[in-house]
Amino acid sequence: MSPLSIISLAAIGVIAIANIRVSALVIKCPMFSSFQKVAQCLIVWLVPLLGVVGIWAFVRSQYNWAKYDTRAFPEDSEKMVLVELDKSEHGASGVVGETYGD
Protein backbone atom coordinates (compact mmCIF):
# COMPACT_ATOMS: atom_id res chain seq x y z
CA MET A 1 0.00 0.00 0.00
CA SER A 2 1.28 3.42 -0.88
CA PRO A 3 1.48 6.20 1.72
CA LEU A 4 -1.15 8.18 -0.18
CA SER A 5 -3.69 5.37 0.06
CA ILE A 6 -3.00 5.00 3.80
CA ILE A 7 -3.57 8.73 4.31
CA SER A 8 -6.76 8.56 2.21
CA LEU A 9 -8.11 5.63 4.23
CA ALA A 10 -7.27 7.42 7.48
CA ALA A 11 -9.06 10.58 6.29
CA ILE A 12 -12.12 8.58 5.24
CA GLY A 13 -12.12 6.86 8.64
CA VAL A 14 -11.91 10.16 10.53
CA ILE A 15 -14.74 11.66 8.46
CA ALA A 16 -16.89 8.55 8.98
CA ILE A 17 -16.35 8.66 12.75
CA ALA A 18 -17.20 12.39 12.79
CA ASN A 19 -20.37 11.71 10.75
CA ILE A 20 -21.44 8.97 13.17
CA ARG A 21 -20.81 11.14 16.24
CA VAL A 22 -22.67 14.17 14.86
CA SER A 23 -25.55 11.98 13.64
CA ALA A 24 -25.85 10.51 17.15
CA LEU A 25 -25.74 14.01 18.64
CA VAL A 26 -28.56 15.14 16.33
CA ILE A 27 -30.66 12.04 17.00
CA LYS A 28 -30.32 12.42 20.79
CA CYS A 29 -31.14 16.15 20.66
CA PRO A 30 -34.64 16.66 22.13
CA MET A 31 -35.30 20.05 20.52
CA PHE A 32 -35.63 18.84 16.91
CA SER A 33 -38.65 17.22 15.32
CA SER A 34 -38.14 13.88 13.61
CA PHE A 35 -38.21 15.57 10.19
CA GLN A 36 -35.46 17.98 11.25
CA LYS A 37 -33.38 15.10 12.61
CA VAL A 38 -33.66 13.18 9.33
CA ALA A 39 -32.86 16.28 7.27
CA GLN A 40 -29.81 17.15 9.35
CA CYS A 41 -28.50 13.58 9.26
CA LEU A 42 -28.91 13.59 5.47
CA ILE A 43 -26.90 16.81 5.28
CA VAL A 44 -24.17 15.25 7.44
CA TRP A 45 -23.88 12.18 5.21
CA LEU A 46 -24.44 13.79 1.79
CA VAL A 47 -22.02 16.68 2.37
CA PRO A 48 -19.43 14.86 4.50
CA LEU A 49 -16.94 17.47 5.66
CA LEU A 50 -18.91 20.72 5.42
CA GLY A 51 -22.13 19.09 6.60
CA VAL A 52 -20.62 17.58 9.71
CA VAL A 53 -18.90 20.83 10.71
CA GLY A 54 -21.98 22.96 9.99
CA ILE A 55 -24.49 20.75 11.78
CA TRP A 56 -22.13 20.22 14.73
CA ALA A 57 -21.65 23.99 15.07
CA PHE A 58 -25.41 24.56 14.86
CA VAL A 59 -26.25 21.95 17.50
CA ARG A 60 -23.51 23.23 19.81
CA SER A 61 -24.76 26.81 19.43
CA GLN A 62 -28.13 25.74 20.77
CA TYR A 63 -26.71 25.29 24.27
CA ASN A 64 -29.94 26.18 26.07
CA TRP A 65 -32.38 23.74 24.49
CA ALA A 66 -35.40 24.93 26.48
CA LYS A 67 -34.87 28.48 25.21
CA TYR A 68 -34.14 27.62 21.56
CA ASP A 69 -36.85 25.05 20.86
CA THR A 70 -37.11 24.99 17.06
CA ARG A 71 -39.98 22.55 16.77
CA ALA A 72 -43.04 24.11 15.14
CA PHE A 73 -45.54 22.62 17.59
CA PRO A 74 -43.92 21.57 20.88
CA GLU A 75 -45.93 19.69 23.47
CA ASP A 76 -47.93 21.83 25.92
CA SER A 77 -45.52 21.06 28.74
CA GLU A 78 -42.53 22.06 26.58
CA LYS A 79 -43.71 25.40 25.21
CA MET A 80 -41.44 28.35 25.78
CA VAL A 81 -42.60 30.82 28.41
CA LEU A 82 -42.00 34.45 27.54
CA VAL A 83 -41.02 36.68 30.42
CA GLU A 84 -42.67 40.11 30.59
CA LEU A 85 -40.08 42.86 30.20
CA ASP A 86 -39.67 45.36 33.02
CA LYS A 87 -39.91 48.79 31.39
CA SER A 88 -39.30 50.80 34.55
CA GLU A 89 -35.56 51.12 33.84
CA HIS A 90 -36.13 52.88 30.54
CA GLY A 91 -37.46 56.13 31.98
CA ALA A 92 -40.84 55.89 30.30
CA SER A 93 -42.35 58.60 32.52
CA GLY A 94 -41.44 61.51 30.18
CA VAL A 95 -43.66 62.89 27.45
CA VAL A 96 -42.77 61.93 23.88
CA GLY A 97 -40.83 64.71 22.19
CA GLU A 98 -40.01 66.39 25.49
CA THR A 99 -36.61 68.09 25.53
CA TYR A 100 -34.42 68.27 28.56
CA GLY A 101 -32.34 71.30 29.54
CA ASP A 102 -29.18 71.55 27.47
Side-chain angles (χ1 to χ4, degrees):
M1 251 192 186
S2 70
L4 184 60
S5 63
I6 293 173
I7 292 172
S8 298
L9 286 175
I12 290 171
V14 168
I15 291 172
I17 290 171
N19 284 356
I20 291 169
R21 290 187 58 113
V22 170
S23 295
L25 185 66
V26 167
I27 290 170
K28 291 191 307 185
C29 185
M31 71 178 176
F32 299 129
S33 68
S34 58
F35 176 77
Q36 288 173 320
K37 290 179 183 183
V38 169
Q40 289 179 0
C41 285
L42 282 174
I43 291 170
V44 166
W45 287 98
L46 294 177
V47 187
L49 194 54
L50 294 176
V52 75
V53 171
I55 298 297
W56 176 81
F58 176 72
V59 171
R60 294 294 295 169
S61 72
Q62 307 295 315
Y63 63 93
N64 188 353
W65 290 346
K67 182 177 178 184
Y68 299 107
D69 192 355
T70 61
R71 293 176 293 173
F73 301 103
E75 301 297 324
D76 289 335
S77 62
E78 299 173 340
K79 288 189 179 181
M80 186 170 63
V81 177
L82 297 176
V83 179
E84 182 69 27
L85 294 175
D86 182 16
K87 297 176 185 170
S88 63
E89 296 177 8
H90 299 289
S93 61
V95 177
V96 174
E98 181 180 77
T99 60
Y100 297 102
D102 290 334

